[in-house]
Amino acid sequence: LRGHLSSSKRLHSLPSARCSMSEKKEDEASFDNCVGAGRLEGWFTCQNFENDKRGWGHIQSYCFEGRLFFHLQRSPSLRGVTYRRRDPVFFEVVEFNGRCEAVKLMLPSQVDPQDEDDADKPEPSEMLGQRF
């Protein structure tokens, strides 16, 4: 489930998605296996101006079926950022009020390369008692 975008070319053949104010808030899908899985990758189903108007939107990913809800209040990195439908995005999944939701959404350009380097490092507790 864990994945990182090495380039936007990786998501070149994305399924099409429609935006509509009458969409269901969340497709019937299971996102439970994504909760706590760390940073995942996916793509937006709508442009930023549509999501900004509503204050929420949906993303899709190869990690799950259906569309996953996100609220802009829980993704401060998206404030004032322009993105289009099918643009790549990194996110985490949490359970909020009994429903799964994408949080901490970031565009690939917003991801700190230092974060990815840290993913391969051992936990500090694993290094206790060792000399370097």
Side-chain angles (χ1 to χ4, degrees):
L1 290 178
R2 196 170 205 156
H4 299 285
L5 286 174
S6 58
S7 74
S8 60
K9 293 178 183 176
R10 187 168 172 193
L11 295 175
H12 68 280
S13 60
L14 302 175
S16 62
R18 293 183 305 110
C19 278
S20 165
M21 294 298 282
S22 63
E23 289 178 327
K24 290 191 286 183
K25 284 191 177 182
E26 182 174 271
D27 282 350
E28 296 300 320
S30 174
F31 308 110
D32 292 337
N33 58 337
C34 298
V35 173
R39 186 182 298 158
L40 302 173
E41 59 186 279
W43 58 92
F44 292 100
T45 63
C46 293
Q47 294 182 18
N48 66 299
F49 70 86
E50 294 174 81
N51 295 334
D52 289 344
K53 256 192 312 192
R54 296 182 296 217
W56 55 269
H58 291 96
I59 57 173
Q60 291 181 298
S61 175
Y62 291 116
C63 298
F64 51 80
E65 292 182 23
R67 297 170 300 137
L68 182 60
F69 173 83
F70 72 87
H71 198 285
L72 290 172
Q73 286 182 339
R74 290 182 267 292
S75 293
S77 296
L78 293 184
R79 290 186 188 132
V81 174
T82 301
Y83 54 86
R84 296 184 312 234
R85 187 177 83 181
R86 299 184 191 168
D87 276 355
V89 62
F90 288 107
F91 61 95
E92 295 180 25
V93 180
V94 298
E95 188 173 332
F96 189 75
N97 289 335
R99 296 186 78 173
C100 291
E101 182 175 323
V103 297
K104 300 181 183 176
L105 279 72
M106 292 188 297
L107 301 179
S109 62
Q110 296 174 312
V111 175
D112 184 1
Q114 180 67 31
D115 290 345
E116 293 192 20
D117 292 342
D118 290 345
D120 297 332
K121 292 182 181 176
E123 291 295 318
S125 60
E126 296 172 6
M127 305 305 294
L128 286 175
Q130 295 185 17
R131 294 187 146 207
F132 299 94

